[in-house]
Amino acid sequence: MHTREPEPVPLGEADARRLCGVLRAFARRRLGNGPDAEDVAQEALRRVLDALAVGRLHDRAALPAFAIETARHVCQHRTRSDDRRERALGLAVRRGTDAGPDPLQELLCREGCTRVDQALACLRTDDRNLLERLYFEEETTDDLAHRLSVTRASLRVRKHRALCRLADLLAPP
């Protein structure tokens, strides 16, 4: 006897809005930052909707717990990424002062790191995430292309365009 696969859990627009509100509140408690919490809520909701679309969740009662757990993972990833970026920027500052502390060089290096950090914050979220994963988290182009389900050529184009937008933000006015 062949058993049928359970049907995926449908999610209406009102349910998605309620779920997004719950995810936003959860992310704000975890991160304490409005824009970061919004990014986390949107990413978690996207992942939940993707899971629903492929039928990974069949029990409607499990949806809230699944969504919160997904948001928790997204928060952890963001925190780890932020920590890696801070360590990488700190390392860049220290590398610039290997021959001894030159106050002017250290100040210029810190200003440069601050400018890059501010420019990254001004980028679109997808551009910033792409550059952070490639340069701060040191993911390879092949691995990232596979994870994002895009071709290497497409990822190279996205990377090039993101770097151009970053360079425009860093260019003197």
Side-chain angles (χ1 to χ4, degrees):
M1 180 177 184
H2 181 62
T3 59
R4 276 185 51 207
E5 288 275 325
E7 291 293 316
V9 175
L11 189 65
E13 187 176 335
D15 292 332
R17 287 182 192 277
R18 253 189 320 276
L19 189 58
C20 192
V22 168
L23 294 172
R24 196 175 290 119
F26 174 83
R28 278 195 188 114
R29 281 192 308 271
R30 293 289 294 255
L31 301 174
N33 180 333
D36 286 345
E38 183 64 30
D39 288 347
V40 166
Q42 291 298 320
E43 175 63 17
L45 183 61
R46 184 195 62 78
R47 290 182 186 187
V48 168
L49 292 175
D50 288 349
L52 290 172
V54 298
R56 283 197 342 236
L57 187 67
H58 302 288
D59 181 8
R60 189 171 223 6
L63 180 60
F66 180 78
I68 291 296
E69 187 66 14
T70 301
R72 188 178 68 77
H73 285 286
V74 174
C75 284
Q76 284 177 333
H77 176 76
R78 173 158 303 233
T79 301
R80 282 193 306 266
S81 295
D82 290 347
D83 290 346
R84 285 188 196 110
R85 182 176 47 232
E86 289 300 317
R87 284 196 308 270
L89 289 173
L91 181 60
V93 169
R94 285 192 301 278
R95 281 186 183 155
T97 60
D98 279 345
D102 175 7
L104 178 59
Q105 190 64 28
E106 193 172 318
L107 177 63
L108 291 173
C109 199
R110 257 187 286 169
E111 279 182 18
C113 289
T114 300
R115 285 188 62 225
V116 169
D117 206 29
Q118 289 170 344
L120 281 170
C122 292
L123 282 177
R124 293 186 338 218
T125 302
D126 57 333
D127 285 344
R128 182 177 60 246
N129 289 340
L130 176 72
L131 295 177
E132 286 175 349
R133 290 175 81 173
L134 288 170
Y135 293 101
F136 295 114
E137 297 175 24
E138 298 177 356
E139 286 189 51
T140 66
T141 304
D142 290 337
D143 288 342
L144 189 54
H146 178 72
R147 285 190 183 117
L148 296 175
S149 301
V150 297
T151 64
R152 288 178 56 213
S154 173
L155 186 64
R156 280 195 308 270
V157 169
R158 286 177 57 187
K159 174 181 149 185
H160 172 75
R161 290 178 179 163
L163 287 171
C164 286
R165 285 188 276 272
L166 180 64
D168 288 345
L169 290 170
L170 290 169

